[in-house]
């Protein structure tokens, strides 16, 4: 039986167990292990959302199809969550960079004048001086010291 709360569908444990052909105790185990977190009614009945069902499908795919144990499933799901969070951070950073680029280079001088570290972009980029690591003489011949660019 699907119930609606806040415009979203929720499913009771018996419906989910039947739909995925698993025992309700398996769902309780997944919750006890922290793999699923269904919401609860005031009467303490478990209600599974669409997101819970998607997560359950992932768990079942990992355990049934790939033979991953529950400890491995937990690690995989945690890593997946971290990857999604990192992807969100990258997307936010890209949005920031796009906004800054759209502002243009025109106000670059103004931003540099208010910067905490006042430096021109040319000062920030330094050419690496070439060096040689071998200064030992070969066959008694002196080796010329490397010259550094000015």
């Amino acid at each position: 039986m699907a119930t609606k709360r806040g415009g979203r569908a929720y499913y009771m444990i018996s419906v989910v167990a039947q739909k995925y052909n698993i025992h309700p105790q398996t769902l309780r185990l997944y919750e006890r292990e922290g793999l699923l977190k269904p919401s609860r009614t005031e009467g303490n009945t478990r209600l599974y959302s669409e997101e819970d069902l998607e997560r359950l499908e992932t768990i079942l795919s990992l355990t049934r199809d790939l033979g991953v144990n529950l400890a491995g499933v937990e690690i995989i799901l945690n890593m997946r969550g971290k990857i999604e969070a990192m992807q969100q951070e990258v997307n936010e950073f890209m949005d920031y960079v796009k906004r800054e680029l759209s502002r243009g280079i025109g106000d670059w001088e103004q931003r540099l004048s208010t910067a905490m570290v006042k430096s021109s972009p040319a000062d920030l980029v330094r050419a690496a001086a070439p060096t040689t690591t071998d200064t030992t003489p070969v066959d008694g011949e002196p080796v010329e010291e490397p010259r550094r660019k000015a």
Side-chain angles (χ1 to χ4, degrees), residues 21-90:
N21 194 28
I22 56 177
H23 197 278
Q25 283 294 352
T26 304
L27 291 167
R28 292 183 188 106
L29 171 69
Y30 291 165
E31 181 181 3
R32 215 172 25 253
E33 294 292 327
L35 300 175
L36 287 175
K37 295 175 184 78
S39 60
R40 302 268 186 155
T41 64
E42 289 180 15
N44 213 22
T45 303
R46 292 172 177 86
L47 293 178
Y48 294 87
S49 67
E50 290 295 329
E51 291 82 20
D52 293 327
L53 297 184
E54 288 175 17
R55 189 169 173 99
L56 176 60
E57 288 173 6
T58 302
I59 293 167
L60 293 175
S61 173
L62 289 169
T63 56
R64 289 177 176 171
D65 301 338
L66 300 176
V68 178
N69 64 18
L70 294 184
V73 169
E74 181 180 18
I75 291 169
I76 291 168
L77 292 177
N78 287 340
M79 287 176 55
R80 210 169 134 186
K82 289 178 183 179
I83 290 170
E84 289 169 359
M86 289 172 57
Q87 183 63 52
Q88 181 62 34
E89 289 177 15
V90 167

Side-chain angles (χ1 to χ4, degrees), residues 131-138 141-148:
T131 60
T132 40
T133 57
D134 189 10
T135 57
T136 58
V138 177
E141 297 178 14
V143 177
E144 191 175 318
E145 287 292 321
R147 296 183 185 176
R148 298 188 185 264

Side-chain angles (χ1 to χ4, degrees), residues 81-125:
K82 289 178 183 179
I83 290 170
E84 289 169 359
M86 289 172 57
Q87 183 63 52
Q88 181 62 34
E89 289 177 15
V90 167
N91 291 343
E92 289 172 7
F93 178 70
M94 292 300 294
D95 290 340
Y96 168 77
V97 169
K98 288 176 186 175
R99 281 193 310 274
E100 289 299 309
L101 288 175
S102 69
R103 285 176 52 184
I105 305 294
D107 64 345
W108 187 248
E109 290 80 18
Q110 186 271 333
R111 283 190 269 162
L112 281 176
S113 67
T114 61
M116 291 179 70
V117 177
K118 298 190 189 304
S119 180
S120 70
D123 293 339
L124 298 175
V125 179

